[in-house]
Amino acid sequence: MCKRLLIVDDSPVMRSFVKRSIEIAGLQVDRWLEAGHGREALEKLGVEAVDLVLTDINMPVLDGEGLLRAMRSDERLRTVPVVVVSTDGTELRMARLMELGALGYLRKPFPPERLCLLLEQVFPDWAEERGKELSDVGF
Amino acid sequence: MWDSDPGPAIAEGLSGAAIEMAGAAVEVLETMFFELPVDLVREAEPPRAGLASEVEFSGTRNGRLAVDVEPGMARRLAASFLGREDEQTVTEPEVNLVLLELANMLCGNALSRLEPRGGFQIGAPRPALVTEGGAGWLMVPVESGRLSVRLSFRDEA
């Protein structure tokens, strides 16, 4: 049950942090794609399908809101789940991004459990498999 | 009345924005860098020049956040953030990038606490060549050293 994920953030160390957090959560990812801004993300999404996009908001060239708008107006990308990972946790911003169709909002700093919960929402098949594994070892 | 347990005190002698800044600093250091405070956050003199970064913001309020980290601590923070057991494998550019991300997270977290219904544009964090003097610096003592942070608003300058 391997996944393809795209991480969009202008900070390479933050992309690395998100990637490591997902690996620690135990999600099997067979293809990692990365982009430094929304425009680069759209270019990558144009040639390769992904199961989830995790995006920052404040980025040069095209920000997270612009990326979300572009994806929602594109027939092929409209249904791709998007989770926003950002330092901006103001209510107005979160509400606007959810209205634009973000599936979830992860405010930095975030503990690994919060990321896990979001991944379980996005991938219920993985959540079920994970729950079974945890119960098999007595949790 | 508290909706939940407010938890242990993290700061001493602070009020207003400084309390929120202290809370943001402790949360960011604990959650993203696994660094626990070893004492209370207090106001302090401007730091001696360590490795510094800063970020400007505009919107509901305008201002700047500056952060200064002792050099040895900066490498340890970067190693923790990047999941490296050996600090020596962390390069100088990686240390600098982590410090930029640290300023970004401190700023976003502090503003979200201060103005949860506000709207902000947080600029791109950048290295600070000179650490600012003046009042308003907070010192956060953690296991690997001292982090100094200052949140200033342009309308209060």
Side-chain angles (χ1 to χ4, degrees):
Chain A
M1 205 175 289
C2 285
K3 310 293 184 192
R4 281 173 291 187
L5 265 62
L6 169 61
I7 302 172
V8 191
D9 198 307
D10 56 335
S11 167
V13 290
M14 197 63 219
R15 295 199 299 267
S16 168
F17 184 90
V18 172
K19 184 177 171 186
R20 189 164 56 88
S21 300
I22 292 170
E23 284 170 343
I24 290 169
L27 183 71
Q28 298 278 315
V29 177
D30 64 350
R31 180 98 170 103
W32 293 100
L33 285 89
E34 294 186 23
H37 50 73
R39 179 76 54 214
E40 191 184 354
L42 288 171
E43 285 165 11
K44 295 204 169 177
L45 289 167
V47 292
E48 195 164 349
V50 300
D51 299 295
L52 172 65
V53 174
L54 295 119
T55 183
D56 187 17
I57 300 174
N58 293 316
M59 294 179 288
V61 188
L62 182 66
D63 66 11
E65 276 193 45
L67 170 62
L68 205 45
R69 279 203 180 87
M71 288 180 68
R72 292 305 174 242
S73 62
D74 185 321
E75 188 90 7
R76 293 168 312 112
L77 303 177
R78 192 169 291 166
T79 57
V80 177
V82 177
V83 167
V84 176
V85 184
S86 175
T87 55
D88 187 344
T90 53
E91 291 168 13
L92 191 69
R93 178 79 87 166
M94 285 197 275
R96 196 160 61 225
L97 286 156
M98 299 306 271
E99 270 172 27
L100 282 171
L103 194 70
Y105 198 109
L106 193 59
R107 185 172 69 87
K108 292 184 271 186
F110 58 85
E113 314 83 78
R114 209 179 300 156
L115 174 63
C116 246
L117 286 173
L118 267 175
L119 292 174
E120 284 179 351
Q121 276 179 40
V122 179
F123 302 120
D125 50 349
W126 173 69
E128 199 177 320
E129 199 177 83
R130 190 166 175 267
K132 198 166 162 248
E133 280 171 13
L134 288 174
S135 88
D136 285 348
V137 293
F139 282 97
Chain B
M1 181 194 266
W2 293 98
D3 289 334
S4 58
D5 182 357
I10 57 158
E12 185 175 77
L14 304 181
S15 60
I19 290 181
E20 301 302 342
M21 185 67 257
V26 169
E27 186 184 358
V28 168
L29 287 167
E30 281 186 0
T31 311
M32 305 300 268
F33 298 92
F34 316 107
E35 286 282 349
L36 301 173
V38 292
D39 201 353
L40 298 173
V41 180
R42 293 186 173 91
E43 269 198 51
E45 294 291 311
R48 288 181 191 165
L51 292 172
S53 57
E54 62 186 13
V55 60
E56 294 200 356
F57 54 88
S58 58
T60 304
R61 301 183 79 176
N62 304 316
R64 176 164 51 171
L65 178 136
V67 61
D68 184 292
V69 177
E70 292 174 341
M73 178 185 179
R75 184 166 289 276
R76 168 129 175 222
L77 289 182
S80 296
F81 190 80
L82 296 167
R84 310 259 179 87
E85 284 184 19
D86 183 359
E87 289 175 24
Q88 298 313 312
T89 64
V90 181
T91 65
E92 199 173 318
E94 284 176 326
V95 172
N96 294 332
L97 285 169
V98 170
L99 282 186
L100 297 181
E101 191 54 40
L102 172 64
N104 188 35
M105 286 189 282
L106 289 171
C107 186
N109 195 295
L111 294 178
S112 301
R113 286 163 176 259
L114 277 166
E115 301 281 353
R117 298 202 168 116
F120 292 97
Q121 281 298 322
I122 298 175
R126 56 180 182 244
L129 299 176
V130 179
T131 299
E132 302 165 18
W137 281 95
L138 299 181
M139 195 266 286
V140 188
V142 292
E143 289 158 347
S144 62
R146 289 183 303 182
L147 175 142
S148 301
V149 61
R150 183 194 199 202
L151 180 67
S152 53
F153 297 102
R154 229 170 277 151
D155 46 343
E156 292 170 4

